[in-house]
Amino acid sequence: MQAKQAVDLELPRGTAVYGRFVLEPWTATSTSPTAVVNGGDAATWDPALDALELVHLYNSAETPLPDLRVELWVSSVGFGLLDSKLGEALLPAWPAMLAPGESFERWFALERGPRANPALKAPMLLLELCFDFDEAKPASPVLPSPAMAPVTPQRASNGDIAGAGHGAAAAAAAAAA
C-alpha cells in the first residue's frame, strides 16, 4: 500500500500531513512518511518511497475478512502528541484480496470528524493497494462473491467496487450464475 496524493485538504501551504493505516480487527498500525501541502490544497507523496505493508493474520476459516482503516493526520512538531486527524475512512479489504498480486489505484473520500466545519469539502486520498501473500504458506481465504458485497463499499464512477475489478455488469452476471 502506498499513499500517492491527498486533495481538498483546506490547509495552509507547507503543512505536513501523513497517513495512518490499520488492518482491522488487528491493531498493528503503519504510518506513511509525511507529505507537504502545496499551494493547491494538495499534498503528494514521493513515488520513490517504499510501499507500506500490513499483515493479515489469516489462519483459519473463522478469521474475519479485514477492513482497512485509513486516517489522514496533520503533523505537528510535538512528536505526534499534538497531531490532529484530518479525516478517516473504513474500506473493505476483500476486493483487493480477490486479485492477489495485482496493484490498483483508487480515490477515497475521507470523513471529517463531527466537530469539523460542515462547509469544508471532504478530503480525498489516492491510494495504491495490492494484496500479496506469502507463497511459502499459501492461504485461500473464503471470500464473498461480488453479489455479497458489503452494504457500503466504495464505488468508482463507472460502478466498479473499489479494486475488485468487476463492473456492475460483471457483478450482475456473477449474481445470476
Side-chain angles (χ1 to χ4, degrees):
M1 170 180 40
Q2 190 170 26
K4 297 287 196 173
Q5 188 176 11
V7 296
D8 297 332
L9 299 179
E10 307 286 342
L11 294 170
R13 181 184 190 132
T15 303
V17 296
Y18 63 93
R20 186 179 293 166
F21 308 96
V22 179
L23 200 56
E24 295 183 348
W26 302 282
T27 57
T29 302
S30 259
T31 303
S32 74
T34 58
V36 178
V37 176
N38 61 27
D41 249 2
T44 302
W45 279 264
D46 182 353
L49 296 173
D50 290 335
L52 301 173
E53 291 185 9
L54 293 170
V55 178
H56 176 230
L57 301 174
Y58 176 79
N59 58 8
S60 74
E62 289 80 35
T63 302
L65 289 173
D67 289 318
L68 176 62
R69 177 166 303 281
V70 176
E71 300 174 347
L72 190 62
W73 288 76
V74 176
S75 181
S76 68
V77 292
F79 301 105
L81 297 176
L82 300 175
D83 291 0
S84 59
K85 190 185 316 182
L86 191 58
E88 69 179 340
L90 187 63
L91 313 171
W94 68 263
M97 296 171 78
L98 287 174
E102 291 185 29
S103 181
F104 58 91
E105 291 183 357
R106 293 286 189 274
W107 282 99
F108 298 101
L110 305 178
E111 295 180 18
R112 292 188 184 263
R115 296 183 293 169
N117 181 347
L120 296 177
K121 292 185 212 175
M124 300 284 292
L125 183 62
L126 177 63
L127 293 177
E128 180 179 352
L129 301 170
C130 179
F131 173 73
D132 202 0
F133 58 93
D134 184 353
E135 293 194 30
K137 300 178 187 175
S140 55
V142 178
L143 300 174
S145 70
M148 296 170 46
V151 177
T152 57
Q154 298 292 323
R155 294 196 180 268
S157 61
N158 65 356
D160 282 355
I161 297 172
H166 297 285

